Structures are given as structure tokens and as C-alpha cells.
Amino acid sequence: MTETEAVRLFKCLADRSRLQILKSLTIEDMYVERLAERLALTPSTVSFHLKKLADAGAVRSYKNQYYTMYTLCREMFDTSMLDIITQTSDEAAIQERREAEYRQRVIQSFFVYGKLKSIPAQRKKEKIVLEELAKAFEPKRVYTEREVNIILADFYDDFCTLRRDLVAEQILGRDKNGYWRI
């Protein structure tokens, strides 16, 4: 079940009459007039709710002589809640694109010709800037503090703050042997 289908089903289930219709259909397949009698509703009201339930995939209809019979789509209700909420969102790609565009805007705002104009005050923006600076460090290589300072000084004069923030954000690791990119 996709996220969109789940939302449609949950909206559909948020009505007492529809729940009563579903409960009745768990017992046996029925036609509109029989459901209307059983639930003390008008046939037009039952038809309206059945249309909503059919659109959500909760029921389906079939012909039996002159009657249109409605049956419960049991497979729709076999899905667990955990399956629904752990499924990848339909909008994951859109969110990733927005995030990439935001990263690019931050980088363009704070870097001019490869130099850092200022350290962002917002933590989220600062992390993006620090991740961009980390690209200057080779993975799996240990740097001395002096080498780190030289690399960071090429980007910004206050290399001590950048070095400290890179370690604090766990972008660079540090021990007695030196610094490395995590």
C-alpha cells in the first residue's frame, strides 16, 4: 500500500457509517438496500459511502442477478500499520531535491571564489559549510594540526574556529596522532 493509498483509506475510515458498513461486509457480501435496512440509513447515503470506500480500495462490487453486491477487500486490511509507516514516502525524491537545492544556495551564499565569506550563525547552515570544507581532506589520511590549519586557512582566516567546529560536528576526528576525515 502506497502512502497516498494509506491516506485515502484512513480518511475514508474516519466516518462511523463507513465503519459500520465495513463491519457488516465482514459478515457477508450485501447489496445497497440490505445495508441500508441493517444500518438504518437511506439507500442514497449507503451508496455515497460505498463509493468512497470503493475509491479507497476498501470494497469492490460485482453483479449477482439484478443486484450489485459489495464485498470487503480483505487484502487491503491485511497490511499492518508498521508496514505503512515504514514504507518509503512518495515524496522522498522531492524532499531530496529540495534539500540539495537548499545546500547549493547555502554554499553559494557563503563561498565566493572558493573562499568562505563568514561562518554561518545558523547551525544547519554551518554544518553544510563544514561538510563542504571537509571535501578538502582526503579520506583515511591522518593530518597534523599544522596541516589542518594550512588547509583551513586557504578558506578562512579564523581556521581555529573552523577546526574546532569540524571536530565538534564529528566531521573530523581527532586524537593524539592527529586529525582525519570521518
Side-chain angles (χ1 to χ4, degrees):
M1 176 181 303
T2 67
E3 188 176 86
T4 306
E5 291 171 337
V7 169
R8 193 178 311 127
L9 179 64
F10 291 147
K11 284 182 179 179
C12 190
L13 294 177
D15 183 272
R16 184 178 309 241
S17 296
R18 292 182 199 139
L19 282 175
Q20 294 303 318
I21 290 170
L22 290 173
K23 287 178 183 180
S24 296
L25 291 175
T26 60
I27 300 166
E28 64 179 317
D29 295 355
M30 292 187 212
Y31 52 94
V32 173
E33 291 77 14
R34 176 95 191 269
L35 280 165
E37 283 176 24
R38 177 175 264 193
L39 302 174
L41 297 170
T42 64
S44 62
T45 301
V46 171
S47 291
F48 171 80
H49 290 304
L50 284 168
K51 168 112 175 65
K52 293 283 187 186
L53 289 165
D55 290 345
V59 299
R60 67 176 153 260
S61 62
Y62 64 91
K63 287 285 191 185
N64 185 3
Q65 296 177 352
Y66 350 94
Y67 296 107
T68 300
M69 302 293 288
Y70 288 88
T71 185
L72 185 68
C73 295
R74 294 184 185 278
E75 64 276 0
M76 176 67 83
F77 298 100
D78 286 340
T79 306
S80 76
M81 293 295 284
L82 193 58
D83 291 340
I84 293 170
I85 61 175
T86 57
Q87 190 175 46
T88 305
S89 174
D90 296 344
E91 297 187 10
I94 296 169
Q95 290 171 350
E96 284 179 29
R97 190 187 80 242
R98 285 182 190 146
E99 199 168 305
E101 289 171 355
Y102 177 75
R103 285 183 68 81
Q104 194 58 40
R105 281 195 311 272
V106 169
I107 291 167
Q108 288 173 349
S109 297
F110 286 94
F111 286 92
V112 176
Y113 301 114
K115 299 279 186 190
L116 184 62
K117 290 193 297 188
S118 64
I119 298 173
Q122 279 186 359
R123 187 165 186 220
K124 182 178 179 181
K125 290 179 181 179
E126 181 184 16
K127 185 157 183 166
I128 292 169
V129 166
L130 294 174
E131 288 168 352
E132 190 66 21
L133 293 174
K135 292 177 182 176
F137 297 93
E138 296 174 26
K140 299 180 183 179
R141 179 176 168 209
V142 178
Y143 293 87
T144 65
E145 187 169 315
R146 186 173 190 288
E147 290 173 319
V148 172
N149 291 344
I150 290 169
I151 291 170
L152 294 176
D154 286 342
F155 292 102
Y156 193 67
D157 291 338
D158 189 2
F159 53 84
C160 293
T161 300
L162 291 176
R163 185 184 67 233
R164 182 195 67 221
D165 291 349
L166 282 163
V167 171
E169 288 290 338
Q170 298 181 350
I171 296 170
L172 287 184
R174 177 179 73 184
D175 65 10
K176 63 181 180 185
N177 298 323
Y179 296 81
W180 63 92
R181 184 170 141 190
I182 296 177

